Amino acid sequence: THAYHVTAPVQSAEELVRAIRLAKQYHPQYIIERYLTGQLYRVTVINFHHVYVARREAPNVIGDGIRTIRELIEIKNTDPRRGETGQKDTTLHKIPFDGTTGIALAPQGITLDHVPARGEKILLHRKTSIGSGGDVIEETLLLHPENREMFRRAARLFGTDLIGFDVIAHDLGRAYAEQTMGIIEANSIPMIDFHHNPASGAPQFPAKMLLDGIIADKRVRYLYPVMLPQR
């Protein structure tokens, strides 16, 4: 449900009761997990060997001490790589001016007419929502070698040629043993567009590696002629 029935962090008994009540709207069973702080990453592993890393940020603008939040959003939305909200053929999206943006600004005591200080980052969504204008920063080239091997081992545990891990860590450029981090989700059909079309960072091309693996797989060569009539 796009985390609608997730509550985090839970910091009191009363919040726990409300969180359980909300979760049970979706399913009678629920999970309580340790809360991790840090940055959100998507780590894609292909053929148990090729590892790609993209860091995801909530929709935001960076102040220049002159322009309002509204003006900063307008400037960011002029990026031709950003599609409309709900657009399916784009990775990055424009930041909306209403709805979730207003909800995120209210607890900060500011509005779209506020002028942030130079270098001040203003978050415009309470979740790391790419569909609402979040950013994707490609950081494959910064991944620590020990982390790369750890994600390869994790992929082998699942036994699948393609997997996308959602990871919370302080910095994947540091070894996992030197920080508190965790894999919070494993996606069997992950979106690989993150790596091809980031907001910043050097684009990577996992689609090529994925296709090479499919072509090299003997099962595909044998099954394709059999499956073709069924299609």
Side-chain angles (χ1 to χ4, degrees):
T1 60
H2 299 282
Y4 179 78
H5 295 89
V6 173
T7 303
V10 174
Q11 297 177 313
S12 69
E14 293 76 15
E15 289 183 7
L16 178 60
V17 171
R18 288 196 297 270
I20 292 173
R21 188 178 298 123
L22 177 63
K24 293 179 76 170
Q25 291 179 5
Y26 175 69
H27 195 279
Q29 295 179 328
Y30 54 88
I31 299 173
I32 299 177
E33 299 179 314
R34 180 163 56 99
Y35 183 71
L36 296 175
T37 60
Q39 304 189 84
L40 178 62
Y41 293 87
R42 164 59 60 82
V43 178
T44 304
V45 185
I46 296 175
N47 297 329
F48 312 110
H49 180 73
H50 304 287
V51 183
Y52 303 90
V53 178
R55 179 165 55 85
R56 298 163 57 185
E57 289 189 346
N60 67 86
V61 291
I62 306 296
D64 60 4
I66 301 174
R67 296 178 177 84
T68 65
I69 294 175
R70 186 188 306 276
E71 291 171 325
L72 293 170
I73 293 176
E74 289 173 347
I75 293 172
K76 197 164 189 175
N77 283 349
T78 59
D79 187 334
R81 299 172 298 174
R82 292 185 179 270
E84 301 295 333
T85 302
Q87 189 171 329
K88 300 298 184 182
D89 60 347
T90 183
T91 304
L92 304 173
H93 296 82
K94 294 180 180 179
I95 300 173
F97 287 97
D98 51 11
T100 55
T101 299
I103 294 173
L105 290 177
Q108 304 176 59
I110 55 179
T111 67
L112 289 171
D113 296 320
H114 173 73
V115 178
R118 178 180 293 275
E120 181 183 4
K121 178 179 286 188
I122 302 295
L123 297 181
L124 303 172
H125 200 291
R126 65 189 186 92
K127 295 179 180 177
T128 309
S129 172
I130 301 301
S132 296
D135 291 330
V136 177
I137 300 92
E138 230 301 326
E139 296 188 348
T140 296
L141 302 180
L142 303 178
L143 180 63
H144 193 283
E146 291 184 20
N147 294 341
R148 181 179 294 107
E149 290 304 316
M150 182 268 291
F151 288 122
R152 287 171 175 168
R153 293 198 303 272
R156 287 195 291 270
L157 289 175
F158 286 90
T160 177
D161 300 330
L162 170 64
I163 192 165
F165 294 118
D166 287 338
V167 178
I168 290 182
H170 292 286
D171 181 7
L172 286 183
R174 292 168 47 205
Y176 67 90
E178 299 176 359
Q179 59 184 311
T180 300
M181 60 168 289
I183 295 174
I184 61 173
E185 187 172 290
N187 299 272
S188 59
I189 310 178
M191 181 178 180
I192 61 175
D193 309 43
F194 291 151
H195 309 289
H196 285 262
N197 302 296
S200 61
Q204 302 296 308
F205 305 101
K208 178 184 183 304
M209 294 301 175
L210 184 61
L211 183 58
D212 288 348
I214 292 173
I215 293 173
D217 194 326
K218 293 181 179 179
R219 295 171 299 176
V220 175
R221 294 204 297 272
Y222 290 135
L223 286 176
Y224 185 70
V226 177
M227 296 172 61
L228 196 59
Q230 299 174 2
R231 292 190 177 187

